[in-house]
Amino acid sequence: MDKQEKLPVKKMMLILSKATIENVYACFILANGARMDGIESEIFFTFFGLEAIQKDKLKKLHVATVGNPAMHIPTLLGGLPGMEAFATKMMKSEMEKLDIPPVDEFLEMLSAAGTKLWACKLAMDMFKIKKEDLIDDLDGVLTVGDFYERADGERTHMLFI
Amino acid sequence: MSEKTIAGYSVKCNDQGFMEDLNQWNKEIALALAKEESIELTEKHWEVLSYLQEQCKNETAITIRKVGKSGIVTIKEFYQLFPKAPLKTASKIAGTPKPVSCI
């Protein structure tokens, strides 16, 4: 037998630690793409990643224009007032053309698709974030240990963003 | 591309089992394809299938988001109707090409 038996991924466990829009979208698209292919997915929002599930912040996420060589604008220009907002607006309009939803709608989509959304307890304590500050679709608040416990099946992958 | 016999009809399919020509599709084929996926087609399923076919005829790239906004099903219901990979499974049964979207 030449052909090896295929062992497809069963579960993706994503850890989102950043709040720049390019990282948030990378995480959401990976989680949603998994569900679209019948793969389970879960997201653990920690550190700055918590901004993506805070009701009063999730609509105001920005792309990083400073310290990001792929923006192809000089660092000094990237730091000018309004630059981040401008770059973010441009990126959002391009994404809408590809039918990529805004952050709030994307979270609803993920929840409807069965992606589990978890907040990191330690990061919440550190930033003094209360559960009421977070989206209603949240599945709960976990410790790192709790999150690892959920990765107990075979062919489960963990990804840090 | 290969010829495959589904429900007694000879249809053109790609190597992943997606039909190549929507004109060859009929309800008997859909029933047979749904059976392969262990899905019993209800009225709601048929509505989704005809929506996908309409979009295909209009050459609109289909996404789960669009299905959720179609007014036929919510995203949650779509996942319930076609468990596992809803867009791919539904497209396969509808005789439309394999979706290329990541959304």
Side-chain angles (χ1 to χ4, degrees), chain A residues 36-37 96 99 105 109, chain B residues 63 65-66 75 84-85 88:
Chain A
M36 283 177 72
D37 263 298
E96 185 61 44
D99 215 23
E105 190 192 331
M109 261 180 76
Chain B
T63 61
R65 188 188 186 200
K66 280 208 184 92
I75 291 175
K84 287 191 179 166
K88 276 188 193 165

Side-chain angles (χ1 to χ4, degrees), chain B residues 78 91 96:
Chain B
F78 190 36
S91 298
T96 56

Side-chain angles (χ1 to χ4, degrees), chain A residues 29 32-33 35-38 96 98-102 105-106 109 111-113, chain B residues 61-66 69 75-77 79 84-88 101-103:
Chain A
I29 288 167
N32 184 61
R35 293 300 304 130
M36 283 177 72
D37 263 298
E96 185 61 44
L98 293 171
D99 215 23
I100 302 174
E105 190 192 331
F106 215 149
M109 261 180 76
S111 184
Chain B
I62 193 73
T63 61
I64 287 210
R65 188 188 186 200
K66 280 208 184 92
K69 289 190 173 183
I75 291 175
K76 201 168 189 170
E77 289 163 345
Y79 273 90
K84 287 191 179 166
L87 198 57
K88 276 188 193 165
S101 160
C102 293
I103 294 293

Side-chain angles (χ1 to χ4, degrees), chain B residues 32-49:
Chain B
L33 289 171
K35 205 174 172 192
E36 277 178 32
E37 304 283 343
S38 314
I39 292 172
E40 207 172 310
L41 296 176
T42 64
E43 201 50 50
K44 213 64 185 164
H45 285 95
W46 290 110
E47 278 181 49
V48 174
L49 298 182

Side-chain angles (χ1 to χ4, degrees), chain A residues 120-147:
Chain A
C120 167
K121 186 178 181 304
L122 185 64
M124 281 176 71
D125 291 346
M126 201 182 99
F127 290 115
K128 306 213 170 9
I129 296 165
K130 291 194 279 303
K131 208 167 168 221
E132 305 85 78
D133 304 329
L134 303 176
I135 53 165
D136 300 331
D137 281 329
L138 192 75
D139 287 287
V141 178
L142 300 185
T143 64
V144 177
D146 296 332
F147 187 66

